Amino acid sequence: MAENPVKGVFFILISYLFLNLALSADAQISKKTYIVQMDKSAMPNSFTNHLDWYSSKVKSVLLEPENEGDEDRIIYNYQTAFHGVAVQLSQEEAERLEEEDGVVAIFPETKYQLHTTRSPMFLGLEAGYSTNNVWGQKILGHDVIVGVLDTGIWPESESFNDMGMTPVPSRWKGKCETGRGFEERHCNKKIVGARVFYQGYEAATGKINGQTEFKSARDQDGHGTHTAATVAGSPVRGANLQNYANGTARGMSPGARIAAYKVCWTGGCFSSDILSAVDRAVADGVNVLSISLGGGVSSYYRDSLSIAAFGAMEMGVFVSCSAGNGGPDPSSLTNVSPWITTVGASTMDRDFPAIVKLGNGRIMNGVSLYKEERMLLKNSKQENYPIVYMGSNSSSPEPSSLCLEGTLDRHIVEGKIVICDRGISPRVQKGQVVKEAGGVGMILSNTANNGEELVADCHLLPAVAIGETEGKAIKRYVSTSPNATARLTFLGTRLGIRPSPVVAAFSSRGPNFLTLEILKPDLVAPGVNILAAWTGNLGPSSLPTDHRRVKFNILSGTSMSCPHVSGIAALLKARHPDWSPATIKSALMTTAYVHDNTRNSIKDASTDAPSNPFDHGAGHIDPKRALDPGLVYDIEAQDYFEFLCTQTLTPLQLKVFSKHSNRSCKHSLASPGDLNYPAISAVFPEKASTAVLTLHRTVTNVGPPVSNYHAMVSPFKGASVHVEPQSLNFTRKYQKLSYKITFTKISMQPEPEFGGLIWKDGVHRVRSPIVITWLSPI
């Protein structure tokens, strides 16, 4: 019998209606976290406090206020570096709230990622505490407090011993929050504060399992302990990782104090938690913020971390952030705001060599942190093991060549050394995959993405990392020799490596496409194979199958270079308490060096060619010179705001940065390049009519009262460069003098040109990198 067509159409319409109702209900119910910035000054007199006003605003836009009160929706109240709330809203509710009076901006929750001792000596911070070195002269920094936003801290580490430290400054308003595994006794005169921030994380991912994860400041990841110890760890003699890098481990500012703000959890770090931590840290009274994480680049007014850092800077707090591990790709930087110090990574003069000796007698050089319990031998005659490579001759890696989980055939790899291509999965995890498949060792080969840069790892089986060139050579040997064999040997720790430093291949690069006139990164610091304190909860490989426990670990990343700069900034703050964040940044940048220990230009590990300011910024940090820079480029909060006024932002977008200071554009900068930045970036626009660019700078004398400086500037092919005046004659300390630098076009160049301006007085060399960029018509 035929179906009634009218009845069928009716059924379809009813089904469609119910589906739409269901989808509509889901859309209303589905909520996520939004950060709401409020104009603090717009609060009506009818409210006695800002939180009540914020709550009223939230309640007025809720679609189901009768079922859920606004007090359940608000997860954070920001009061210091930022003003507003973090609140759970549906998309429609967020759109309605954005239209309300007093609401400056709304940002959706953003997920951030961590940018995951020899360095003090390499940086010229001598071991003793004599009056001739940077750590002497009564500037141990006991009253300087560094806030570390990370995965928490392992308080039992010897690096956080407070022996000999003076009482905590009375100005400090921080707190030692307790929770599983973390009690008040775990804070001391070194760890002066410990707080946790997880409301945004839980709103996005669900409740933290308190049985498997410490819902407290205790660090089970290790990253936060490592960065905190790098900033301000107390000296620990005999520190090492399984006998590698043996020596005294100490932070950059061993007398400074640490406040740990745990913002990162197993599933990542969320912007509402980070923002709350910055806000709280500034209110607590930190002098420096060290933030080794990032979440991509967005416009200044849409970047909640940038906005919070602006507020911290206004309160006199120096903010240091990692540049990211997106190198060597160009324009891979994060944290590019000019009021943030953006730190890239470089190598030191220490390495952990290992060799691969092939059956044909050829020796390949690599690195490893494998603890050699025995030579990798087949028998007492020291015969080699067979080698196998699971990839093809294709130029691009395959799942099996990458040694991803489940891709290795036990029948093929058992009892053999396996060649694994670097990429996709963690380096140490590849070794675990090989081990589980019955392999006896691993050769970790770089691909084109990594070039010749070698990063040592604490593998779970004998393993050696080698560069791309030698990796290709071994693969050719395996493909042409039916009985290819090899033996792995580990050579321990070697010092005095030349050349060093070298810019790490993974270190994120410029140019800063958000604003080409602001050169980023600002500088580079040690970030490869850094030894520092470690959690007692996790093995050195960070793999759950790694049951080894160590007190110190060796890690690489801009996460490691950032705390070097944060710690040295703390040293400068201790020596010069009245210095602003911009003054400290200027001192670090203008004293940085651009030549390695062979007196050649610092190289780029990804190309083995000289690096440029898009790779190393102003250069490599030099703490001893930074303590006495001679001249500095200071920048006040209003100056940064004037820079924002050149960025074609609307009045409402600018209000994001003037929320409680009532700032307005005075148009004191003719262009963004006129910001009094320590680096100089001249950008010739597309229009051919612009043949001359003039930028302005003002320097402050922080050296001897009577000082005479003379300018030296590099020659360029595409433009002539003239500095006026060519001499700066100071008669008193803190005197300010201005100069202008004029670029006259000679011929447009296809690529940016790099050089520098140096002011010299016979003692000081105040160097600013110069970049000239020609924009071509699209």
Side-chain angles (χ1 to χ4, degrees):
M1 186 176 180
E3 186 179 348
N4 184 334
V6 176
K7 185 177 180 181
V9 171
F10 179 74
F11 177 76
I12 291 170
L13 287 172
I14 291 294
S15 300
Y16 181 74
L17 179 60
F18 274 110
L19 179 62
N20 272 276
L21 286 171
L23 290 173
S24 175
D26 279 348
Q28 290 183 14
I29 294 170
S30 177
K31 294 185 287 290
K32 67 181 205 175
T33 303
Y34 291 85
I35 296 168
V36 182
Q37 186 176 19
M38 301 292 293
D39 180 357
K40 186 179 179 182
S41 63
M43 184 182 77
N45 293 331
S46 56
F47 291 93
T48 57
N49 64 72
H50 285 88
L51 181 57
D52 286 347
W53 177 45
Y54 303 157
S55 299
S56 173
K57 285 290 182 185
V58 170
K59 189 173 182 178
S60 70
V61 302
L62 297 185
L63 296 174
E64 298 176 341
E66 70 281 2
N67 296 326
E68 183 172 9
D70 60 290
E71 66 275 8
D72 296 323
R73 300 285 194 100
I74 293 177
I75 60 176
Y76 284 119
N77 174 28
Y78 307 122
Q79 305 178 67
T80 308
F82 189 92
H83 293 286
V85 290
V87 58
Q88 287 194 283
L89 300 169
S90 69
Q91 183 175 341
E92 183 179 345
E93 289 169 342
E95 290 169 354
R96 292 172 63 181
L97 183 59
E98 197 164 19
E99 300 300 318
E100 290 286 315
D101 292 337
V103 176
V104 176
I106 293 184
F107 314 95
E109 181 83 277
T110 303
K111 187 176 180 181
Y112 286 68
Q113 298 293 341
L114 296 164
H115 291 152
T116 246
T117 283
R118 174 73 180 166
S119 51
M121 192 172 294
F122 179 67
L123 292 172
L125 301 171
E126 292 91 348
Y129 284 84
S130 72
T131 56
N132 295 321
N133 69 48
V134 177
W135 284 331
Q137 303 175 41
K138 298 181 180 179
I139 60 151
L140 293 181
H142 292 313
D143 289 337
V144 176
I145 300 169
V146 182
V148 181
L149 275 63
D150 217 294
T151 63
I153 197 165
W154 193 263
E156 290 83 3
S157 171
E158 296 171 77
S159 292
F160 308 125
N161 187 315
D162 66 351
M163 186 177 297
M165 297 193 74
T166 58
V168 178
S170 58
R171 66 175 177 82
W172 176 243
K173 298 180 178 64
K175 185 180 177 184
C176 192
E177 295 179 354
T178 60
R180 187 170 79 86
F182 207 96
E183 302 174 12
E184 282 193 29
R185 63 182 177 85
H186 288 126
C187 288
N188 56 18
K189 289 178 284 188
K190 168 62 73 174
I191 303 174
V192 298
R195 295 183 184 271
V196 294
F197 302 86
Y198 52 77
Q199 303 289 352
Y201 177 80
E202 287 193 333
T205 66
K207 292 290 184 182
I208 294 170
N209 185 338
Q211 299 305 309
T212 59
E213 187 167 6
F214 290 109
K215 201 172 179 179
S216 71
R218 181 167 291 279
D219 177 21
Q220 66 190 62
D221 177 272
H223 191 277
T225 299
H226 198 280
T227 56
T230 302
V231 169
S234 301
V236 181
R237 293 183 178 180
N240 66 86
L241 171 60
Q242 302 194 125
N243 292 323
Y244 284 99
N246 191 42
T248 299
R250 54 167 61 83
M252 295 299 98
S253 184
R257 307 176 198 272
I258 298 163
Y261 297 87
K262 186 172 179 177
V263 297
C264 295
W265 306 85
T266 302
C269 330
F270 286 79
S271 55
S272 60
D273 298 326
I274 296 166
L275 190 56
S276 185
V278 172
D279 191 64
R280 187 68 259 171
V282 173
D284 285 345
V286 301
N287 305 105
V288 175
L289 277 171
S290 188
I291 306 175
S292 288
L293 46 85
V297 176
S298 56
S299 300
Y300 298 112
Y301 73 95
R302 301 296 298 171
D303 185 340
S304 57
L305 178 55
S306 172
I307 297 165
F310 188 96
M313 172 274 300
E314 286 183 299
M315 304 292 284
V317 177
F318 177 92
V319 182
S320 173
C321 293
S322 48
N325 298 338
D329 291 345
S331 297
S332 49
L333 293 159
T334 64
N335 304 316
V336 298
S337 297
W339 46 89
I340 291 174
T341 299
T342 311
V343 188
S346 57
T347 65
M348 295 188 298
D349 63 344
R350 179 180 67 192
D351 211 348
F352 308 104
I355 60 173
V356 180
K357 185 172 184 180
L358 303 180
N360 62 8
R362 184 170 177 180
I363 292 176
M364 306 289 191
N365 294 307
V367 297
S368 182
L369 291 170
Y370 175 72
K371 183 179 182 182
E372 186 180 18
E373 297 172 355
R374 58 185 175 86
M375 295 289 286
L376 185 51
L377 306 173
K378 187 164 185 175
N379 55 39
S380 59
K381 294 182 181 179
Q382 300 189 5
E383 292 181 9
N384 295 358
Y385 279 82
I387 320 175
V388 63
Y389 177 56
M390 301 295 289
S392 66
N393 291 323
S394 167
S395 59
S396 37
E398 305 160 21
S400 56
S401 75
L402 291 163
C403 300
L404 303 181
E405 286 193 56
T407 62
L408 299 184
D409 187 336
R410 173 175 283 273
H411 295 96
I412 297 176
V413 307
E414 190 167 21
K416 297 183 177 75
I417 297 172
V418 182
I419 301 171
C420 298
D421 286 322
R422 187 171 163 185
I424 306 296
S425 62
R427 300 181 298 271
V428 288
Q429 190 177 58
K430 296 176 188 292
Q432 178 66 17
V433 170
V434 171
K435 185 177 182 180
E436 289 175 351
V440 296
M442 177 179 70
I443 297 170
L444 182 63
S445 173
N446 278 3
T447 62
N449 288 337
N450 316 109
E452 303 308 312
E453 177 183 61
L454 299 178
V455 178
D457 293 298
C458 197
H459 293 282
L460 284 164
L461 85 170
V464 176
I466 59 174
E468 181 192 14
T469 303
E470 297 200 326
K472 287 179 177 178
I474 294 179
K475 292 169 193 174
R476 281 195 301 271
Y477 167 64
V478 171
S479 66
T480 57
S481 305
N483 299 308
T485 61
R487 182 166 70 248
L488 311 182
T489 305
F490 307 94
L491 304 178
T493 304
R494 182 173 295 169
L495 304 178
I497 299 297
R498 297 161 71 89
S500 62
V502 174
V503 177
F506 61 75
S507 185
S508 289
R509 312 303 170 96
N512 168 20
F513 274 141
L514 198 56
T515 308
L516 285 172
E517 290 86 352
I518 302 299
L519 178 64
K520 291 283 181 170
D522 290 308
L523 72 172
V524 294
V528 179
N529 298 333
I530 304 301
L531 179 78
W534 189 242
T535 176
N537 190 70
L538 200 62
S541 70
S542 295
L543 295 175
T545 53
D546 188 354
H547 300 298
R548 298 171 296 179
R549 292 295 179 265
V550 296
K551 294 183 177 180
F552 294 85
N553 201 2
I554 292 174
L555 300 181
S556 297
T558 53
S559 278
M560 284 63 252
S561 54
C562 170
H564 277 82
V565 170
S566 306
I568 294 165
L571 271 180
L572 267 62
K573 188 68 175 177
R575 170 73 70 86
H576 305 285
D578 57 334
W579 277 12
S580 69
T583 295
I584 293 173
K585 179 178 188 172
S586 174
L588 295 173
M589 290 177 65
T590 60
T591 58
Y593 57 86
V594 293
H595 294 93
D596 60 30
N597 57 3
T598 67
R599 298 188 179 182
N600 293 309
S601 296
I602 292 175
K603 287 187 174 182
D604 177 353
S606 67
T607 62
D608 201 38
S611 60
N612 63 55
F614 288 161
D615 308 320
H616 61 235
H620 190 281
I621 194 167
D622 187 340
K624 292 179 72 175
R625 290 187 59 219
L627 284 164
D628 180 22
L631 304 177
V632 294
Y633 295 83
D634 199 9
I635 307 175
E636 296 181 358
Q638 180 63 31
D639 300 323
Y640 284 121
F641 189 79
E642 292 296 332
F643 160 79
L644 289 165
C645 296
T646 69
Q647 296 300 290
T648 63
L649 302 182
T650 67
L652 188 60
Q653 291 165 352
L654 280 169
K655 201 167 187 179
V656 165
F657 296 93
S658 62
K659 61 266 175 185
H660 63 270
S661 46
N662 238 353
R663 299 190 189 281
S664 60
C665 294
K666 297 181 173 57
H667 303 291
S668 59
L669 301 183
S671 75
D674 271 336
L675 180 68
N676 201 37
Y677 213 66
I680 297 169
S681 179
V683 182
F684 278 95
E686 296 171 12
K687 52 186 179 182
S689 59
T690 303
V692 179
L693 282 177
T694 300
L695 302 179
H696 302 82
R697 292 291 186 271
T698 298
V699 287
T700 304
N701 178 28
V702 294
V706 178
S707 302
N708 301 305
Y709 286 84
H710 302 279
M712 293 177 57
V713 66
S714 306
F716 293 84
K717 291 181 182 178
S720 64
V721 184
H722 180 69
V723 179
E724 185 182 350
Q726 293 193 325
S727 296
L728 296 174
N729 301 311
F730 295 91
T731 57
R732 65 183 185 276
K733 196 169 184 178
Y734 305 124
Q735 182 181 359
K736 295 179 184 290
L737 292 177
S738 298
Y739 69 90
K740 62 182 180 180
I741 180 167
T742 301
F743 300 85
T744 304
K745 185 189 295 184
I746 298 173
S747 62
M748 179 179 286
Q749 301 296 303
E751 300 288 339
E753 283 194 86
F754 307 102
L757 165 65
I758 301 174
W759 289 99
K760 301 174 68 174
D761 70 344
V763 176
H764 304 92
R765 295 176 78 257
V766 186
R767 183 182 183 278
S768 293
I770 297 176
V771 179
I772 305 178
T773 305
W774 288 265
L775 299 181
S776 302
I778 298 175

